[in-house]
Structures are given as structure tokens and as C-alpha cells.
Amino acid sequence: MQTVNDAEEQLKFDQRIIDEQKIEPTDWMPDAYRQNLIRQMSQHAHSEVIGMQPEGNWITRAPTLRRKAVLLSKVQDEAGHGLYLYSATESLGITRSDLIEALQSGTAKYASIFNYPTLTWADMGAIGWLVDGAAIVNQISLQRTSYGPYARAMVRICKEESFHQRQGYEIMTVLAKGSAEQKQMAQDAMNRNWWPSLMMFGPHDSDSAHSGKSMKWKIKRVSNDQLRQKFIDQTVPQIEELGLDMPDPELKWNEERGSYDSGEINWEEFYQVINGSGPCNYQRIKHHKKAHKEGEWVREAVRAYQEKQNAKKQTNVA
Amino acid sequence: MKDNQQNLIRFLIGLGDDSVVLSHRLSEWCSNGPYLEEDIALSNIALDYIGRARMFYQYAAELEGDKRTEDDIAFLRNEREYTNLLIHELPINDFAFTMVRQYFLDVYYCQYLLQLCESTDERIAAIAAKAVKESRYHLKRSKPWIKQLAEGTDESRERVQLALDELENFVGELFLMEEWETQLANDKLVVDRKTLEANWNSEVQSFLAESDMKFPDSKIQIRGGRNGIHTEHLGHMLSEMQYLQRSMPGLEW
């Protein structure tokens, strides 16, 4: 039930959003705003964490020591982003273990792209280049999001993501200029990752369940379709530069719009993957649960040790 | 002198192998740790060891006259040509095993690398100076882990004990010198590892004693790593690690 006080606070909150002021953890905020943020931020954190798996799949098989070091530090960065975003989400009054439980039970989502398999080394290139590239387009817009901790996290994360994208593009460049087999590997990885990368921006604006409110609260600053277009426009010249064939025959420059036209996304596949039936959904969550379960005895040991230490301290004080 | 050069190359590749093999094992924890923080930390340590491997291999390659690269050394030698000390190649097992091995090696490297800083070879001394700082930091992490696991629950203590039992077979080799290595040590190019054993024992034993745990003085001495005689585990690691370079040879990556 909304009290008089809440109504006053709501007015103040609305004004602050209009004035582009950041909302901070201790500020009053409507519950729906809080829940919406928890959903979006935790989804973002989970994406970083689950995203470690498809790339982790190649750490032990990276072809050179330098590539191995770069890939390992990239995946380590993703873990760091996950940690940072979990902490930022915790500022909204939810614990990390609640968030992890929501991930494992399937209530919370993560980026659907990570439900596709990384079949060859070229996927490491394509993911860095396309997936991190798409993530940056989205995250740059989120640097202006209305919730302070989220906005600051985005500033920091964007810096590292651009390094990730460069390393991915560099892998693609080497492969595209390499042997026929390597070039084929690059083409194939791009073809497979292209559509799932476009899907990362979510459904069309007209079909997006959460967009309206998120835009009003300035959690979201730019629409799904606008971000997707921006990504396509910046990526097509890079495909040309690599000398690869276009992954979508309908990609054509539209002089009038000053943008590329493109084919329609397979939305059936999109919803199928989002709803848990993509090629790796089961595997990703199973892996996460297994690692979590196998670590339980360690976490228990840490708790037990802490309790013993605390008990000792109390005895000493007494 | 020419012999010494050959021995020095052999020495550098051995140390590079130790590092590359351990970094591979540590990297297997990525997305499998008990905390997200541990995924990050173990990856970090793995990265330090990849860095070491590269420095040792690069120097070896230069001394060989640039006939091969660091990657040729890492990816184009087979099990019998790899010369890492065996402890580095053992599978990660559980978190207790990984941390006890790490603690043992951290203590070892802190002592070993500190002395290696005194090498009459400036390049080796410089690598050691960089690496010893890393190992000191690693030790700051592994020590409290051993304590927490040894004094945590019955289960965690038992797992630490199992790790100690298994590692008892492989610690001895850390302190066994090959003849060619002894020659290098006589010339003050490298460290006589034999001389480290007593210190290592007393540091580890007194630390474990704090948690009422023991590790024996006289250990079983399985040896062979520096001569390319390995456990069965290494072959599997190399077939995974070298797969791209072997299946599509001679390419840039």
C-alpha cells in the first residue's frame, strides 16, 4: 500500500530521473524499479559468468602461449565483471547466493549467445569480435543508466571489453589471412555466431516485454532495434576488411537510411534458446551446478574455520 | 664452454616446462572453482606461470640461435622430450590437492628463485627476480587456504591429508640434481636444489604442525621428469594442449 510519504518520495524520484540524476543504493526507489534493476543487472552478471564456459572450452587448447595467456586473461576479466556486477546487484538488497540460486533454477536468464557451442579455435575470434562487440554497443549506452552503481560498473567494464574485442578481431584477421583451412574456419565461426550476436540485443522494440518501463526509468537508454542497427553498421565494414563473405545475403547499404538493411532474425530460434532449449542450455547450467556443488565442502570448511576463530577470540576476550 | 651452453639450454627448457605444465593445470580451474574469486585467483597464478614459461623458452630459443620459437618448444615436443619435474603435471584432483601442491611449490619457489637471483647469468637472475615476487604473493594466498582447509571440517582436513599422502611421492624430486645441472651450479649459474631441502622441510613442517598435521622428512623419491620419464598424465595434457599445432602444422595463429 502506498503511503503519503511514498507518494512524495515517488514524485521526488520521478523528478530526479527527469533531471538525469543518478539513483544511489540508499536512495528511496519504487519497488518495481528495484526489481527491474535486479533482473537486468543479475542477468548481466550471470552472462559474464556463464560466458566463461564457452571460452574456457579453448583455454587448454589455445594454439600459442601468447594466445593462451590472452584468452585466459580475457576469461578472467569476465569472471571479474561477474563479480563486480554481483556486488553492484547486492547493493539493491539481494545476496549473491540468492542470485546464483535464481540462475540455477532457471528463473534468472543470461545472454542466449552462450547457449551455442564453441566448435573451433575461430570461435574465440568470432566471440571476441562479435559477441563482445555487441556487448560493448549495449554497455556504452548503459554507462548513462540511471542507477549509479550500474552506470559506474559499465564505465569500468567497457574499457576491458574493447580490449577483448580487439583480441577477437586480431584472431579473425590472422585466420582470414592464413591458410585456406584457417580462412574456412573463420568464415564458419562468423556465420554461426552472426545471428546469435544480433539476437543479443533482444526482441524487436514492439515485442520487448520490459523495454517500456526500463526506458521511462532511464535504466535502458537506447532501444533494442537501434542498438542492433548500430552494431550491424559498425560490423559490416569489418567483415569486408577481413575479406569474408557476408553471413546474411540481405546485408545491403541503404543510402536513404544511411544504414545497412539486413535479413530477419529467426525469432523462433531466439525464443527457443531463451526458453531453455538451445544447443547448450542444459550443459551450461549443469556445469555451473556441478562446480558449485563440488565447491560446497570448501565453502563449508571456510565457514567452520571462521566460526572456530570467532569462538577462540571470544574465549580470549572472556 | 659449449657443454655449458647446451646444459644451460636444457636447464631453461626444464624450468619453462615446469611452468607451462603447472599453468595448464591451474587454468583447468577456470569456471570450476568453489568461489568466483578463486576462478580469478587461480587464473591469475596460471598467467604468472605462462609468463615464466615464455621468458625461459625465449631465452633458450635465443641461445639456440633462434632455430625455433617459444611455441615450437612448447607445442612441438612430445612426452619424452618434456623435462618438467613431475609434481607440476599431476592432475588438479580436488581443491585441497591443488592448494597443497601450490603451497608446497610456493614455498619451494620462494626459496629457489631467491637464490637464483644470484645467478652469474644476468638474464636468469632478472627472470628470477621478477618471478620470486610473484611466488611470494602466491604463498600469501596458499598458506591461509591450507590452514582453513586443515582446520575447517573433518572432510576438508581429510582431503588435505589425502593430498599430503599423494604429494609425498613427488616432493623429493624437487631436491634431486642431475649431473649436468650440478655442473651449472658449480659455475654459479644455477642453484643446487639439494641445499634447499632442509629449509623447505622445516618451513613446511612447522607450518603444518600449527594445524597438527605432519609431513615426513624422508620422502619417497620418484624421479624422472628432467629425463623425460613422466607420469601417465602428461601425455593426455600434451595431446590436448598441442592439438592445433599438431593437426595443422606450420601455420600462424
Side-chain angles (χ1 to χ4, degrees):
Chain A
M1 202 177 69
Q2 208 176 26
T3 61
V4 180
N5 191 29
D6 279 349
E8 263 176 40
E9 293 287 0
Q10 176 79 52
L11 283 174
K12 273 198 261 172
F13 174 86
D14 291 343
Q15 192 56 47
R16 291 184 65 187
I17 296 285
I18 291 166
D19 294 344
E20 295 282 330
Q21 285 181 31
K22 295 283 181 242
I23 307 300
E24 295 299 334
T26 49
D27 294 341
W28 185 92
M29 61 186 89
D31 194 51
Y33 175 84
R34 186 185 299 274
Q35 294 313 323
N36 200 318
L37 270 173
I38 290 176
R39 182 190 55 78
Q40 182 171 337
M41 289 171 70
S42 67
Q43 183 171 323
H44 198 156
H46 297 324
S47 301
E48 301 279 0
V49 171
I50 295 296
M52 292 166 69
Q53 290 182 39
E55 291 186 282
N57 183 36
W58 280 91
I59 289 173
T60 54
R61 290 181 293 168
T64 70
L65 293 175
R66 177 171 163 264
R67 291 284 178 218
K68 186 167 168 152
V70 172
L71 180 60
L72 185 55
S73 69
K74 175 179 192 281
V75 179
Q76 188 198 27
D77 282 348
E78 314 289 5
H81 297 170
L83 197 56
Y84 199 60
L85 283 163
Y86 279 137
S87 305
T89 314
E90 282 183 309
S91 71
L92 292 160
I94 187 162
T95 66
R96 206 206 295 186
S97 57
D98 289 339
L99 295 172
I100 288 175
E101 203 178 297
L103 169 69
Q104 294 188 343
S105 69
T107 352
K109 304 275 186 235
Y110 55 87
S112 59
I113 184 94
F114 300 124
N115 291 314
Y116 292 86
T118 52
L119 299 178
T120 69
W121 170 250
D123 284 272
M124 296 305 97
I127 287 188
W129 169 42
L130 298 175
V131 177
D132 291 81
I136 296 172
V137 168
N138 186 30
Q139 288 168 6
I140 285 178
S141 78
L142 288 173
Q143 290 179 350
R144 294 187 298 123
T145 192
S146 56
Y147 188 54
Y150 195 25
R152 288 189 289 274
M154 286 303 108
V155 172
R156 193 168 135 169
I157 287 171
C158 276
K159 282 185 198 152
E160 291 183 344
E161 295 288 3
S162 44
F163 148 73
H164 297 168
Q165 194 195 14
R166 276 202 304 277
Q167 69 88 32
Y169 191 70
E170 198 208 330
I171 291 175
M172 292 304 273
T173 310
V174 172
L175 295 176
K177 292 185 172 40
S179 72
E181 212 176 345
Q182 284 176 312
K183 190 170 178 183
Q184 173 53 32
M185 203 191 260
Q187 179 74 52
D188 169 61
M190 180 187 69
N191 291 350
R192 281 184 289 107
N193 284 285
W194 174 256
W195 293 106
S197 297
L198 297 186
M199 293 177 195
M200 283 175 70
F201 296 98
H204 281 314
D205 299 343
S206 49
D207 303 323
S208 177
H210 305 287
S211 276
K213 268 192 174 165
S214 293
M215 293 287 271
K216 186 184 129 216
W217 283 325
K218 295 183 181 169
I219 292 175
K220 202 170 163 54
R221 304 303 308 249
V222 185
S223 83
N224 293 354
D225 287 328
Q226 283 171 313
L227 291 169
R228 186 161 26 234
Q229 186 66 57
K230 196 170 172 220
F231 172 71
I232 292 172
D233 289 346
Q234 78 178 35
T235 309
V236 171
Q238 294 169 351
I239 301 174
E240 286 167 352
E241 181 69 31
L242 288 170
L244 297 176
D245 297 335
M246 289 299 152
D248 167 9
E250 290 180 53
L251 279 171
K252 292 217 171 61
W253 179 251
N254 181 326
E255 195 65 52
E256 216 171 289
R257 290 201 306 127
S259 269
Y260 285 91
D261 290 336
S262 55
E264 190 59 33
I265 288 170
N266 179 347
W267 293 109
E268 199 182 321
E269 177 182 327
F270 171 81
Y271 286 109
Q272 190 185 330
V273 178
I274 285 278
N275 292 323
S277 309
C280 298
N281 295 60
Y282 191 83
Q283 179 191 336
R284 300 292 183 236
I285 293 300
K286 184 179 165 193
H287 179 113
H288 194 275
K289 282 182 183 167
K290 181 169 174 276
H292 194 68
K293 196 170 166 217
E294 282 173 2
E296 184 51 37
W297 70 267
V298 179
R299 295 187 295 274
E300 232 173 74
V302 169
R303 282 191 293 270
Y305 179 79
Q306 278 309 328
E307 278 165 23
K308 285 178 195 171
Q309 292 306 105
N310 290 343
K312 261 192 216 166
K313 262 186 219 156
Q314 285 197 340
T315 327
N316 288 347
V317 170
Chain B
M1 193 58 209
K2 195 156 178 264
D3 270 2
N4 244 2
Q5 176 95 340
Q6 281 311 312
N7 289 340
L8 198 58
I9 292 167
R10 204 171 167 186
F11 165 83
L12 291 166
I13 291 179
L15 261 61
D17 290 349
D18 290 340
S19 295
V20 94
V21 160
L22 184 65
S23 84
H24 188 102
R25 286 302 184 211
L26 290 167
S27 76
E28 290 175 22
W29 276 103
C30 197
S31 89
N32 291 304
Y35 297 90
L36 197 49
E37 284 85 343
E38 279 313 303
D39 283 7
I40 297 175
L42 292 167
S43 302
N44 228 332
I45 301 174
L47 278 168
D48 285 343
Y49 278 97
I50 296 183
R52 280 184 208 184
R54 296 184 67 190
M55 289 188 286
F56 287 124
Y57 286 157
Q58 282 165 10
Y59 188 26
E62 283 171 36
L63 292 178
E64 285 179 340
D66 288 325
K67 289 189 296 259
R68 41 181 194 169
T69 65
E70 59 176 45
D71 289 322
D72 295 338
I73 298 176
F75 293 94
L76 300 179
R77 284 177 308 136
N78 64 31
E79 299 85 322
R80 295 283 283 108
E81 293 165 301
Y82 255 74
T83 57
N84 57 284
L85 299 171
L86 303 174
I87 188 170
H88 299 91
E89 75 194 38
L90 301 174
I92 54 177
N93 288 330
D94 62 4
F95 189 72
F97 182 88
T98 293
M99 291 321 290
V100 174
R101 163 170 57 193
Q102 199 55 45
Y103 166 65
F104 280 3
L105 287 174
D106 292 342
V107 173
Y108 168 77
Y109 279 118
C110 281
Q111 298 176 358
Y112 176 74
L113 293 168
L114 182 67
Q115 289 201 24
L116 197 62
C117 292
E118 306 296 319
S119 168
T120 52
D121 184 298
E122 278 176 25
R123 181 83 169 264
I124 292 178
I127 297 173
K130 182 178 186 295
V132 74
K133 282 185 210 145
E134 295 164 356
S135 280
R136 283 190 192 125
Y137 176 73
H138 301 165
L139 181 60
K140 270 191 197 161
R141 286 196 70 262
S142 57
K143 246 176 119 162
W145 264 120
I146 304 308
K147 210 170 194 53
Q148 291 183 80
L149 297 180
E151 299 179 28
T153 59
D154 290 346
E155 181 181 1
S156 66
R157 187 177 176 84
E158 192 187 326
R159 286 175 185 263
V160 170
Q161 187 57 56
L162 285 173
L164 293 173
D165 293 346
E166 184 169 350
L167 287 162
E168 204 183 307
N169 296 286
F170 297 97
V171 166
E173 195 191 25
L174 290 173
F175 307 106
L176 295 176
M177 291 287 280
E178 301 297 328
E179 214 179 289
W180 56 266
E181 200 183 352
T182 308
Q183 275 178 38
L184 292 174
N186 291 341
D187 292 342
K188 311 275 180 232
L189 282 161
V190 310
V191 179
D192 183 352
R193 294 184 278 120
K194 269 201 320 278
T195 62
L196 302 173
E197 187 167 15
N199 267 340
W200 188 92
N201 277 340
S202 71
E203 183 170 340
V204 165
Q205 284 164 350
S206 66
F207 177 65
L208 288 177
E210 289 174 23
S211 308
D212 203 17
M213 298 196 93
K214 285 195 186 80
F215 196 71
D217 251 342
S218 60
K219 297 165 280 281
I220 301 156
Q221 297 182 329
I222 297 175
R223 76 186 296 173
R226 284 281 187 259
N227 291 309
I229 305 291
H230 291 274
T231 67
E232 290 176 348
H233 307 296
L234 183 73
H236 295 279
M237 181 198 285
L238 293 183
S239 41
E240 189 175 351
M241 183 176 129
Q242 299 178 337
Y243 135 77
L244 268 177
Q245 289 273 5
R246 299 286 197 175
S247 61
M248 298 168 78
L251 302 177
E252 292 290 314
W253 294 96

